[in-house]
């Protein structure tokens, strides 16, 4: 599995075994569940980014809204601040707020929503060693983007997850589902084996949800190994203190 991790680290820069998974604790059954069989065509979740700093800019990849107990936050991948998006030197999280001109996130198409989310302040500025950034944000007056509820419990081996994203070549895509199952944890990341054949370029920051619609993390990287596509997921448990 270490070889898979090496391949995925390399692949991240292109796109922006025995299991040690623990048993999953029971989720809160009192949570109001939004997820249904046709959610992908009834609620908008996936967003893409457009952003500018003092001396750098970027466009693309993926983002989504996540609930904290006090607010709704914009979530995406931290490696969008560096080489993966052609930004050198990388913008450190401690420099983010002072250098930011704007950060906008919006759906790929207007099929379900025309809202634009505006990032206003990075709240994870003290964390520069994980691939997640969380921003305070301004929502549309009648926001139609669905914020997801985070899950902090570990995945079970073989548990099925859904990645919500769009391939770059799929110009009509508002969002699609890509299935994968949990393999192992390594280096603090969750590794999934994809059950869907797709090109993960542009999926950096895409939400990864469980069967009940809780978001466990973001897609951080992906690469093929021995004929299978493996995906590295950065767990939201790493930013739990900001979401509680």
């Amino acid at each position: 599995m270490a070889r898979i991790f090496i391949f995925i680290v390399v692949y991240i820069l292109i796109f922006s075994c025995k299991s040690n998974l623990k048993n999953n604790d029971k989720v809160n059954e009192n949570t109001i569940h939004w997820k249904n069989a046709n959610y992908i065509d009834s609620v908008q979740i996936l967003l893409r980014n457009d952003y500018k700093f003092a001396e750098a800019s970027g466009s693309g990849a993926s983002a989504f809204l996540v609930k904290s107990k006090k607010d709704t936050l914009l979530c995406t991948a931290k490696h969008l601040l560096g080489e993966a998006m052609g930004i050198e030197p990388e913008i450190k999280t401690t420099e983010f707020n002072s250098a930011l001109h704007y950060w906008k996130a919006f759906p790929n198409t207007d099929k379900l929503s025309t809202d634009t989310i505006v990032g206003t302040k990075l709240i994870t500025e003290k964390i520069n060693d994980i691939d997640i950034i969380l921003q305070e944000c301004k929502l549309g007056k009648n926001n139609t983007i669905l914020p997801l509820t985070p899950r902090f419990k570990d995945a079970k081996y073989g548990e099925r997850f859904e990645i919500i994203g769009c391939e770059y070549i799929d110009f009509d895509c508002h969002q699609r589902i890509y299935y994968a199952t949990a393999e192992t944890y390594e280096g603090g990341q969750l590794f999934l084996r994809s059950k869907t054949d797709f090109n993960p370029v542009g999926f950096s920051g895409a939400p990864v949800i469980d069967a009940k619609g809780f978001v466990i993390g973001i897609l951080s990287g992906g690469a093929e190994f021995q004929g299978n596509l493996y995906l590295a997921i950065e767990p939201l448990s790493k930013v739990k203190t900001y979401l509680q």
Side-chain angles (χ1 to χ4, degrees), residues 17-216:
C17 79
K18 182 178 180 180
S19 173
N20 61 345
L21 294 181
K22 300 176 182 178
N23 288 333
N24 180 40
D25 293 336
K26 187 176 181 181
V27 298
N28 183 2
E29 296 295 346
N30 294 322
T31 301
I32 299 174
H33 301 303
W34 55 269
K35 195 167 180 281
N36 59 49
N38 192 42
Y39 77 86
I40 208 71
D41 288 318
S42 58
V43 291
Q44 186 67 43
I45 298 168
L46 183 68
L47 304 169
R48 64 184 174 93
N49 303 286
D50 183 67
Y51 52 98
K52 182 176 176 58
F53 293 91
E55 298 181 359
S57 62
S59 181
S62 303
F64 60 97
L65 294 179
V66 62
K67 295 178 183 177
S68 73
K69 288 190 175 180
K70 297 180 180 179
D71 205 354
T72 296
L73 303 173
L74 180 63
C75 181
T76 190
K78 188 188 78 72
H79 70 255
L80 302 189
L81 307 180
E83 184 181 354
M85 298 299 283
I87 298 175
E88 296 186 74
E90 176 184 300
I91 297 169
K92 303 299 182 183
T93 55
T94 53
E95 304 165 350
F96 185 104
N97 289 325
S98 60
L100 182 67
H101 281 196
Y102 65 81
W103 193 298
K104 299 177 182 179
F106 41 83
N108 288 296
T109 75
D110 62 1
K111 179 176 180 177
L112 297 177
S113 174
T114 59
D115 282 349
T116 294
I117 308 300
V118 178
T120 58
K121 179 184 178 182
L122 184 71
I123 65 169
T124 49
E125 58 184 338
K126 294 182 180 180
I127 304 177
N128 197 62
D129 59 350
I130 65 172
D131 197 21
I132 296 174
I133 55 175
L134 296 172
Q135 295 182 63
E136 294 179 352
C137 59
K138 292 181 180 178
L139 308 180
K141 184 177 181 180
N142 298 305
N143 178 53
T144 56
I145 308 297
L146 179 74
L148 300 175
T149 301
R151 164 181 161 175
F152 304 123
K153 301 298 183 182
D154 285 348
K156 296 184 296 183
Y157 174 74
E159 183 177 0
R160 191 169 88 156
F161 290 92
E162 299 169 22
I163 300 101
I164 303 173
C166 283
E167 293 182 280
Y168 265 148
I169 60 172
D170 191 355
F171 301 114
D172 296 326
C173 173
H174 66 290
Q175 55 191 11
R176 300 194 193 283
I177 304 171
Y178 302 86
Y179 299 100
T181 55
E183 288 284 308
T184 189
Y185 282 91
E186 185 173 327
Q189 289 189 312
L190 168 63
F191 285 82
L192 307 181
R193 182 169 63 176
S194 178
K195 297 299 182 181
T196 312
D197 183 20
F198 71 101
N199 185 344
V201 172
F203 279 66
S204 295
V208 181
I209 66 172
D210 66 15
K212 293 190 175 182
F214 294 93
V215 57
I216 195 170

